[in-house]
Amino acid sequence: EKARAVSGAMDEVVWVVNSRRDTLRDFATYACKHARRFLTSSPIRCRLDVDPDLPEVVLEMPLRRSLLMGVKEALNNAAKYSDATELFLRIFRRGQTLFVVVEDNGAGFDLALVNSERNGLANMTERMKEFGGKCRINTSLGAGCQVEFQVPLPKQASLPDVSGETRELSLDGIRGLPATFPSNEKEVTR
């Protein structure tokens, strides 16, 4: 078990720093794989809802890491405290804003009674603020919990062209990757 944990941590470090896996789609794929793997040994059913038309925008390493840490914290809290039977991980875009939502059908909690000496919820909020984003937590006793991360997407994305050169593309009107771009991994879709 310890070796598996170390291996998982090493995989995460490699993923975070790998510049060939730095797009929004790569993040979505990795976050979904992590959620499934993490919840496998729990009674919580993991459901994924990922926009199939996520643009191939580049997410810089600090943002990728912060989003992943937020998702991991929300998953960990759900597994530890929620008594949920089902959890949704939703990843989608509205305009120039990325939404990553972790929602469970568990016991919920009263935000006013959260132990202020614990850092998890505060860390999620601070991480998103660093990137001009927000972390919203919607919960109440008996009504589950929804953690919603919102971050602005870059207006321009640098994407490698098949020749290896870089070109600038506007996100406005993009409905996925042009056929000439290679895909690094299978896309996770709903």
Side-chain angles (χ1 to χ4, degrees), residues 11-19 61 64-65 68:
D11 286 347
E12 182 179 317
V13 168
V14 169
W15 175 79
V16 166
V17 300
N18 186 347
S19 64
M61 183 174 54
R64 283 195 324 269
R65 182 182 180 283
L68 182 62

Side-chain angles (χ1 to χ4, degrees), residues 57-85:
V57 298
V58 173
L59 297 180
E60 297 297 328
M61 183 174 54
L63 176 56
R64 283 195 324 269
R65 182 182 180 283
S66 289
L67 278 172
L68 182 62
M69 296 301 288
V71 168
K72 288 176 72 170
E73 180 71 27
L75 291 170
N76 187 55
N77 289 346
K80 273 184 160 177
Y81 307 116
S82 76
D83 291 326
T85 58

Side-chain angles (χ1 to χ4, degrees), residues 35 37 41 52 71 73 96 114 118 173 185:
R37 222 177 13 247
S41 61
V71 168
E73 180 71 27
Q96 290 300 122
V114 171
R118 305 286 300 187
E185 221 168 49

Side-chain angles (χ1 to χ4, degrees), residues 18 25 31 34 41 44 53 86-87 127 133 137 150 158 160 173:
N18 186 347
R25 286 187 188 181
H34 175 78
S41 61
I44 301 173
D53 295 324
E86 193 167 62
L87 179 140
R127 283 187 185 108
I137 301 169
Q150 296 179 24
S158 294

Side-chain angles (χ1 to χ4, degrees), residues 12-63:
E12 182 179 317
V13 168
V14 169
W15 175 79
V16 166
V17 300
N18 186 347
S19 64
R20 288 182 286 171
R21 298 275 192 248
D22 63 357
T23 67
L24 175 52
R25 286 187 188 181
D26 292 327
F27 166 78
T29 299
Y30 190 86
C32 289
K33 285 180 181 178
H34 175 78
R36 281 242 162 109
R37 222 177 13 247
F38 183 79
L39 294 173
T40 296
S41 61
S42 81
I44 301 173
R45 180 178 178 197
C46 182
R47 307 194 72 168
L48 306 173
D49 184 7
V50 178
D51 183 348
D53 295 324
L54 288 175
E56 277 293 306
V57 298
V58 173
L59 297 180
E60 297 297 328
M61 183 174 54
L63 176 56

Side-chain angles (χ1 to χ4, degrees), residues 13 16 19 24 47-49 60 68 71 94 100-101 114-115 129 132 134 144-145 147 150 153 163 181 183 189:
V13 168
V16 166
S19 64
L24 175 52
R47 307 194 72 168
L48 306 173
D49 184 7
E60 297 297 328
L68 182 62
V71 168
R94 267 195 213 131
V100 179
V101 181
V114 171
N115 182 349
K129 280 183 183 177
K134 300 173 188 170
C145 181
V147 180
Q150 296 179 24
L153 289 170
S163 66
F181 288 108
S183 177
T189 60

Side-chain angles (χ1 to χ4, degrees), residues 88-129:
F88 281 89
L89 173 59
R90 294 182 174 95
I91 303 173
F92 59 95
R93 177 184 80 141
R94 267 195 213 131
Q96 290 300 122
T97 303
L98 171 65
F99 290 81
V100 179
V101 181
V102 179
E103 182 176 0
D104 68 58
N105 68 349
F109 59 95
D110 184 344
L111 272 171
L113 299 178
V114 171
N115 182 349
S116 62
E117 293 179 19
R118 305 286 300 187
N119 294 322
L121 299 180
N123 285 346
M124 289 189 295
T125 300
E126 286 305 310
R127 283 187 185 108
M128 294 307 106
K129 280 183 183 177

